Amino acid sequence: MGEDSTNVSNIFIDEYMQDANDAQLKVYLFLLRMMASNLPTSVPDLADKFNHTEKDVIRALKYWEKKGLISLVYDADQNLTSIHMEEIVTHKGYGRRKEDSVIHALPPIQKAPVAEVSEPVYEKPHYTAAQLRDFKETSGSGIMFIAEQYYGRPLNPSEMSTIYYIHDELKFSDELLDYLMQYCVDNHKSDFRYMEKVAISWNQEGIKTPRQARAESYKHDGDIISVMKALGMENSPTVTEGSVISSWRGELEFSMDIIMEACERTVMATQKNRLKYCDSILRSWHKSKVTSREDIARLDDAHTADLRKKKAKASVSSIDVKARLDESYIRPNGSQNHFNQFQQNTYNFAELESKLLDN
């Protein structure tokens, strides 16, 4: 296979991919890609590429080492020096595949002992029917009710177990669990296994509040990242920036095609406050019930016609003013006097002479 492609084992797709989170998948696939091209990489490189912390990358590497797909080599000071891609062994009789390349040239990146970055074990306990009933009737009553409202039905025991696990073992507050369910529903993910994976990922990130969860989700939202790049914003989205852009899709219900058109017009119009400027464009379009580019074109045509009418009206007004000014320079007898707007004074010179002589 050439350097323009990377071979991924079917065993990995069939048996390993479904249980890995986004960060773990990105790290492993990128390692395969670098191996295929015989290129070096490092933990800082991986962190920068996928907008993760170095601890995120270390956790992902430890995850795949635990699964037996890679092995990590350290020096005497516990600095990571190389990564070996191990053979992938099936558990379902599909055969074996060996990836025997090695990725070298990793600079020192981890001074702490390996034990300090070990991957925590996340294993959901088995809850009895009595435990689930007690949870639903006591501390979990409110969050269970909210869950049933989100999903529009009573929860089965397996789904109740997932919520109990996230609440009891991962220590999610009711507010964070509420946001987690909203996040899953908004992303059209009704599978409670997906909810559990997201919860574990947030727990690994140290997320404790809905605000922190929103900030994390915005960093990995492809649409939000695309919009920010289109507006010339290279930073990771803040909660405020992410919320504004999300409102364009949610509250205003615009497609990405319409949003990107607004971004293009914003970039052409201003260098400052682009997010605010783009927001004003989209809210104006929403008020005008825009749903397609054809609607935008009709608004543009109407705006152009309105400008032409105003220009024509302004031209007529200018001619009328000029005519009135010309009239003000004409005296009643037809002669011109540039000072006729002032009252003209008349004097009786014989009377003045008489008064002077008397004095």
Side-chain angles (χ1 to χ4, degrees), residues 11 88-97:
I11 299 174
I88 299 181
V89 180
T90 181
H91 302 291
K92 299 181 179 179
Y94 294 145
R96 300 169 70 87
R97 174 178 178 78

Side-chain angles (χ1 to χ4, degrees), residues 190-335:
S190 58
D191 184 356
F192 274 63
R193 288 186 61 199
Y194 177 82
M195 183 197 299
E196 183 180 328
K197 290 178 180 179
V198 173
I200 290 173
S201 175
W202 287 0
N203 182 266
Q204 291 174 334
E205 296 293 335
I207 290 172
K208 301 296 184 184
T209 66
R211 181 179 178 83
Q212 292 174 329
R214 278 193 292 271
E216 181 65 19
S217 64
Y218 292 153
K219 289 194 301 184
H220 304 289
D221 189 312
D223 287 347
I224 290 178
I225 299 301
S226 296
V227 168
M228 292 192 65
K229 287 183 177 179
L231 292 174
M233 303 166 67
E234 297 297 333
N235 60 290
S236 294
T238 65
V239 173
T240 300
E241 291 166 344
S243 298
V244 170
I245 297 172
S246 292
S247 72
W248 301 342
R249 297 177 305 180
E251 175 192 346
L252 305 186
E253 298 183 337
F254 280 127
S255 66
M256 281 299 293
D257 183 49
I258 300 297
I259 293 173
M260 295 307 283
E261 173 67 18
C263 289
E264 183 177 338
R265 294 183 179 215
T266 297
V267 170
M268 296 295 292
T270 182
Q271 294 289 333
K272 298 180 180 179
N273 301 321
R274 284 180 171 177
L275 191 67
K276 185 177 181 180
Y277 189 94
C278 192
D279 184 66
S280 67
I281 291 176
L282 288 166
R283 292 190 180 279
S284 173
W285 286 352
H286 181 260
K287 187 176 180 180
S288 299
K289 303 187 184 305
V290 166
T291 60
S292 66
R293 284 184 177 269
E294 288 74 16
D295 293 335
I296 296 174
R298 281 193 289 272
L299 282 179
D300 289 343
D301 291 342
H303 180 66
T304 300
D306 186 52
L307 287 177
R308 287 173 179 169
K309 288 180 180 178
K310 288 181 178 179
K311 186 176 180 180
K313 185 176 180 181
S315 179
V316 170
S317 298
S318 177
I319 293 172
D320 183 57
V321 168
K322 185 176 184 302
R324 291 176 181 273
L325 288 173
D326 289 342
E327 288 178 4
S328 69
Y329 291 120
I330 305 301
R331 298 183 63 185
N333 61 3
S335 62

Side-chain angles (χ1 to χ4, degrees), residues 39-214:
L39 295 172
T41 190
S42 68
V43 170
D45 289 344
L46 289 164
D48 289 342
K49 183 170 185 62
F50 299 115
N51 200 23
H52 291 311
T53 65
E54 292 186 12
K55 287 186 177 180
D56 294 334
V57 176
I58 290 290
R59 279 195 289 263
L61 293 173
K62 295 292 293 181
Y63 174 84
W64 292 119
E65 184 179 46
K66 183 179 178 181
K67 292 292 185 182
L69 270 61
I70 67 174
S71 59
L72 307 177
V73 179
Y74 300 86
D75 62 18
D77 296 324
Q78 296 301 314
N79 297 318
L80 183 60
T81 57
S82 64
I83 303 172
H84 295 252
M85 307 298 288
E86 301 291 347
E87 66 176 326
I88 299 181
V89 180
T90 181
H91 302 291
K92 299 181 179 179
Y94 294 145
R96 300 169 70 87
R97 174 178 178 78
K98 186 173 182 178
E99 307 288 7
D100 54 4
S101 297
V102 179
I103 297 178
H104 293 290
L106 288 171
I109 46 81
Q110 181 64 27
K111 299 295 184 182
V114 178
E116 291 188 18
V117 293
S118 59
E119 183 75 14
V121 177
Y122 294 92
E123 185 175 348
K124 184 168 64 178
H126 172 73
Y127 299 107
T128 65
Q131 286 177 305
L132 293 177
R133 183 171 59 253
D134 182 63
F135 176 66
K136 185 174 183 179
E137 293 174 355
T138 55
S139 61
S141 59
I143 202 63
M144 287 294 190
F145 174 78
I146 292 172
E148 290 176 350
Q149 300 307 304
Y150 274 124
Y151 292 92
R153 55 177 172 76
L155 305 184
N156 61 44
S158 175
E159 294 166 340
M160 292 173 62
S161 294
T162 296
I163 292 180
Y164 191 6
Y165 165 69
I166 295 172
H167 185 277
D168 192 54
E169 295 291 328
L170 302 185
K171 307 302 181 183
F172 273 40
S173 65
D174 286 357
E175 291 78 12
L176 184 56
L177 239 174
D178 186 344
Y179 179 75
L180 171 64
M181 290 186 287
Q182 178 187 333
Y183 172 82
C184 293
V185 170
D186 287 347
N187 284 279
H188 309 290
K189 302 290 187 180
S190 58
D191 184 356
F192 274 63
R193 288 186 61 199
Y194 177 82
M195 183 197 299
E196 183 180 328
K197 290 178 180 179
V198 173
I200 290 173
S201 175
W202 287 0
N203 182 266
Q204 291 174 334
E205 296 293 335
I207 290 172
K208 301 296 184 184
T209 66
R211 181 179 178 83
Q212 292 174 329
R214 278 193 292 271

